[in-house]
Amino acid sequence: MPSVIVVGGQWGDEGKGSVIAYLALHDRPEVIVRGGVGTNAGHSVFIHGKKYAVRQLPTGFMNREARLLVGAGVLVDPEVFFHELEHLKEFDVAERVGIDYRCAIIEPHHKEMDRKNGYLHGKIGTTGSGCGPANADRALRKARQAKDIKELEPYLTDVAQEVNAALDEGKLVLVEGTQGFGLSLYFGTYPYVTSKDTSASAIASDVGIGPTRVDDVIVVFKSFPTRVGAGPFPTEMPMEEAERMGLVEYGTVTGRRRRVGWFDFEFARYSAKINGATMLAITMIDKYDKEAFGVTEYDKLPKRVKEFIEEIEDKVGVPVGLIRTGPELEHIIDLRENI
């Protein structure tokens, strides 16, 4: 069975959580593992009308048979981790979750520095979750690791060993990326970026998968890209226009209002190329055309939406495999068999 990586193609908030949740329930992966930066990235999913937001644990938690893992490259905030164990206890996550013993720890002083630093919080517009300072300490080789925190001991494991063993046994592994390509420390709109690379290659490294073990890379784009915080946004529309179009959104972690823009085909093509996309997922297509809300068959989509999807495939050069038409798990069109 293959390994599948899901990453964001824009500036985060692309709706990766809903795509991951669908894959977790539809494809039934035996292992779901989270890569990425840390608790500065929030994924939201709606299950039977109830919203669940996670910042630390894998978003595929609703698959009750899956082993849930947090890769070595991910920063861990014990406070957030234990909060989510309680928040998701109806899904028995505590019995299924494992943290790599090499994960670096976000300490209270990291969060304080992140929130009070005029450059990080004022100019760059960080989330204040402590990830940047924690990664700085990690680079300086003075951050504590998960193995140093007694309370985390029952959950510690070698995630890289588990993931590769699962692949050796022919199990399906779903790898979750966080944030978006435009926030990559290397390829994004520096300095208005996060504290590490967010491309698919980095996510694979975070969980201990070598490049030859990656079978599919799904890059997620939303019909109208959004961005939280400062930084370049070439296709940004005025807030009044976003309000008129009903495109008012707020960040999962910060609660800040998201800036909204038009779909950037050139940026999407570059993002797909660097991420090595094998297919695309397009979300919030119901925002592009409200008549598409809840549609589950491609042939029943409005003509305008079909033309938009075809334009994306043509200009980005990668086929669209998944289309989200609403917030609920069943609001999706799965075209992967046609690719």
Side-chain angles (χ1 to χ4, degrees), residues 38 94 120 145 212 273 334:
L120 290 176
Q145 295 182 302
T212 59
K273 182 180 297 184
D334 192 334

Side-chain angles (χ1 to χ4, degrees), residues 162-238:
E162 281 203 44
V163 169
N164 281 280
L167 292 174
D168 289 341
E169 294 166 13
K171 295 179 179 179
L172 175 60
V173 175
L174 177 60
V175 184
E176 302 182 11
T178 63
Q179 299 178 303
F181 177 73
L183 297 176
S184 165
L185 180 64
Y186 299 160
F187 306 106
T189 51
Y190 187 90
Y192 302 97
V193 292
T194 194
S195 55
K196 60 184 286 190
D197 184 20
T198 54
S199 69
S201 299
I203 301 302
S205 176
D206 284 342
V207 304
I209 296 179
T212 59
R213 307 218 77 173
V214 177
D215 296 275
D216 271 307
V217 176
I218 301 175
V219 180
V220 184
F221 296 100
K222 68 198 297 190
S223 59
F224 292 98
T226 57
R227 179 166 193 167
V228 171
F233 194 178
T235 63
E236 183 174 8
M237 65 177 69

